[in-house]
């Protein structure tokens, strides 16, 4: 005689019970989503519709969801399956134009790949045990909840948040001057990025320079950079004014101001 104790049979349809492992409101919403995503043909016999809806619920139970995210993955997988099946049917219908058939067949193939991706995602998740609790949750009683009142409470909380805007910051003249100074300093640093400003003599307070008779290498690099910025600004201004002609490169001489 075997010493092993026979395990109780596993009821995969327990997810649909009122006292099942999930909040019945969540299960009702999942079932509603599946039924809305299940195609129903015009003038289809009721027994065929009932059979299709019955089978889709069996399909969700067959995925053995252990928590709410796994139910959502299962619902998406089943909706993708039915979308693929509906598009296959339309695409293979000889009465449809060939162009339309090709489009529906392509859509069906995409939905079929989505179904496969959802199943793989569910399998990856189910390959790991649930953190809390380990294994499948035990059935328990779920308290009654007034969902209408609950939604109204959330709406009131959101409305309160909208009625209380954040205070407006009032800047003092000193703060405004400091902000302008910091912004100007950042602009100059950005414009002169890559130049050795510390070792470049003759830079004017506004950023320009008077072309000396014998400029150093640092001064030449700085003035070339300033001229490039000047011509860029000129091109941008011409474009704003609708001028598309090329700009004229003007010669510079000793003593000229390089802005």
């Amino acid at each position: 005689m075997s010493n092993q104790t026979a395990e109780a049979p596993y009821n995969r349809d327990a997810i649909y019970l009122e006292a099942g492992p999930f909040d019945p409101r969540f299960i009702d919403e999942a079932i509603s989503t599946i039924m809305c995503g299940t195609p129903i043909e015009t003038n289809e016999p009721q027994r065929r519709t009932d059979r299709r809806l019955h089978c889709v619920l069996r399909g969700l139970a067959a995925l053995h969801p252990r928590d709410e995210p796994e139910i959502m993955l299962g619902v998406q997988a089943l909706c993708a399956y039915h979308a693929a099946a509906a598009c296959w049917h339309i695409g293979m219908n000889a009465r449809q134009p060939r162009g339309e058939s090709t489009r529906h067949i392509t859509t069906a193939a995409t939905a079929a790949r989505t179904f496969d991706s959802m199943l793989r995602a569910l399998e990856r998740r189910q390959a790991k045990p649930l953190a809390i609790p380990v294994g499948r949750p035990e059935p328990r009683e779920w308290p009654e909840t007034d969902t209408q009142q609950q939604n109204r409470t959330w709406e009131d909380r959101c409305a309160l948040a909208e009625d209380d805007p954040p205070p407006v910051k009032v800047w003092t003249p000193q703060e405004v001057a400091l902000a302008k100074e910091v912004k100007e300093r950042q602009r100059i640093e950005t414009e002169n990025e890559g130049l050795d400003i510390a070792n470049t003599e003759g830079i004017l307070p506004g950023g320009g320079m008077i072309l000396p008779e014998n400029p150093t290498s640092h001064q030449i690099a700085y003035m070339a950079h300033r001229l490039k910025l000047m011509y860029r600004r000129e091109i941008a201004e011409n474009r704003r004014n609708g001028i598309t002609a090329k700009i004229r490169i003007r010669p510079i001489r000793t003593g000229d101001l390089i802005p």
Side-chain angles (χ1 to χ4, degrees):
M1 181 177 180
S2 173
N3 294 328
Q4 296 180 351
T5 303
E7 296 183 0
Y10 174 74
N11 181 13
R12 68 179 190 180
D13 293 335
I15 61 175
Y16 300 124
L17 299 178
E18 289 287 340
F22 304 113
D23 187 333
R25 288 173 291 263
F26 188 89
I27 293 295
D28 292 346
E29 184 63 26
I31 295 173
S32 175
T33 302
I34 292 176
M35 289 185 171
C36 290
T38 302
I40 305 299
E41 297 181 11
T42 305
N43 299 326
E44 180 181 50
Q46 185 61 42
R47 57 183 179 80
R48 186 179 300 175
T49 302
D50 295 339
R51 183 180 63 192
R52 184 177 300 115
L53 296 177
H54 172 80
C55 290
V56 73
L57 294 182
R58 299 287 69 75
L60 179 62
L63 296 176
H64 306 290
R66 303 172 300 171
D67 59 4
E68 286 79 358
E70 291 183 4
I71 291 178
M72 290 186 283
L73 285 172
V75 169
Q76 293 299 314
L78 292 169
C79 289
Y81 161 75
H82 281 288
C87 289
W88 285 129
H89 174 70
I90 297 174
M92 295 301 178
N93 192 332
R95 291 175 295 176
Q96 297 291 338
R98 186 174 299 278
E100 288 292 315
S101 298
T102 303
R103 180 170 63 88
H104 285 298
I105 290 174
T106 302
T107 304
T110 301
R113 288 192 293 271
T114 302
F115 173 67
D116 180 69
S117 298
M118 289 296 174
L119 289 184
R120 290 177 184 271
L122 182 59
E123 290 171 355
R124 286 195 301 270
R125 197 175 195 278
Q126 291 181 335
K128 302 177 182 179
L130 293 177
I132 301 173
V134 177
R136 187 167 183 168
E138 293 294 332
R140 58 186 181 275
E141 295 291 335
W142 293 91
E144 290 292 333
T145 300
D146 187 347
T147 54
Q148 184 177 10
Q149 179 60 40
Q150 188 179 57
N151 292 337
R152 191 178 302 113
T153 301
W154 283 112
E155 291 172 359
D156 293 341
R157 289 180 60 177
C158 293
L160 288 175
E162 294 176 357
D163 292 340
D164 298 328
V168 178
K169 167 66 176 177
V170 179
W171 290 65
T172 64
Q174 294 80 4
E175 290 174 330
V176 172
L178 178 60
K180 289 182 177 179
E181 180 182 349
V182 171
K183 185 177 180 180
E184 180 65 16
R185 189 184 309 121
Q186 291 175 345
R187 182 188 67 80
I188 294 175
E189 290 177 355
T190 301
E191 285 186 352
N192 299 323
E193 186 177 1
L195 299 175
D196 189 359
I197 302 299
N199 296 319
T200 305
E201 299 178 354
I203 299 178
L204 301 176
M209 177 180 287
I210 302 296
L211 177 59
E213 185 175 358
N214 297 309
T216 65
S217 59
H218 291 95
Q219 289 174 327
I220 293 174
Y222 181 78
M223 288 186 291
H225 183 67
R226 298 292 296 186
L227 286 171
K228 181 173 65 175
L229 292 177
M230 180 188 70
Y231 286 125
R232 282 182 178 176
R233 287 192 290 268
E234 184 176 344
I235 292 173
E237 180 66 22
N238 288 345
R239 288 178 177 175
R240 284 193 294 269
N241 296 329
I243 302 173
T244 58
K246 294 183 178 180
I247 62 172
R248 183 174 61 89
I249 304 299
R250 297 173 289 276
I252 57 175
R253 302 177 181 85
T254 301
D256 287 349
L257 173 62
I258 308 299

